[in-house]
Amino acid sequence: QVQLVESGGGLVQAGDSLRLSCAAPARVFINYAMAWFRQAPGKERDFVAAISWIDGVRNYADSVKGRFTISRDNAKNTVYLQMNSLKPEDTAVYYCAARSITSSIRSYEYPYWGRGTQVTVSS
């Protein structure tokens, strides 16, 4: 059983910043692409950002481009999501996910998931 553990969520005001972290076991982190998804109440789980293992290529949802940055620290087996200029519509539970080698924007292609961390942005 692979366990991904997210942290860093919280309640902030519009315009503030947060940094989410996701810790993974070394055997998952190595050779795995990492991604962030989010799910607002009553909505589907949406892709936010991903970073591949091989070349570190990053992909972002249009809604977060220019505001969010995904990065990974291979020495710490941790992936981060730096979120700047937060908006109320960013409010959701944020999930970390992992899949082998290359990233994807499709949630069903990720076999490993964390339990999520709540991000609430007030206006």
Side-chain angles (χ1 to χ4, degrees), residues 81-104:
L81 184 68
Q82 178 66 43
M83 306 186 294
N84 299 329
S85 302
L86 282 162
K87 305 175 181 179
E89 50 263 45
D90 294 319
T91 296
V93 177
Y94 283 71
Y95 296 91
C96 177
R99 73 184 297 267
S100 181
I101 305 297
T102 58
S103 64
S104 170

Side-chain angles (χ1 to χ4, degrees), residues 30-105:
I30 297 173
N31 293 328
Y32 275 70
M34 304 295 293
W36 290 94
F37 289 79
R38 66 186 182 186
Q39 188 167 19
K43 295 188 176 181
E44 295 184 350
R45 190 168 298 187
D46 292 332
F47 170 76
V48 175
I51 183 167
S52 294
W53 167 256
I54 294 179
D55 50 14
V57 170
R58 297 169 171 86
N59 293 304
Y60 296 96
D62 288 342
S63 59
V64 305
K65 280 182 181 177
R67 299 188 299 124
F68 290 11
T69 302
I70 187 171
S71 62
R72 62 191 298 160
D73 185 335
N74 293 339
K76 295 182 178 180
N77 300 327
T78 300
V79 64
Y80 303 99
L81 184 68
Q82 178 66 43
M83 306 186 294
N84 299 329
S85 302
L86 282 162
K87 305 175 181 179
E89 50 263 45
D90 294 319
T91 296
V93 177
Y94 283 71
Y95 296 91
C96 177
R99 73 184 297 267
S100 181
I101 305 297
T102 58
S103 64
S104 170
I105 65 171

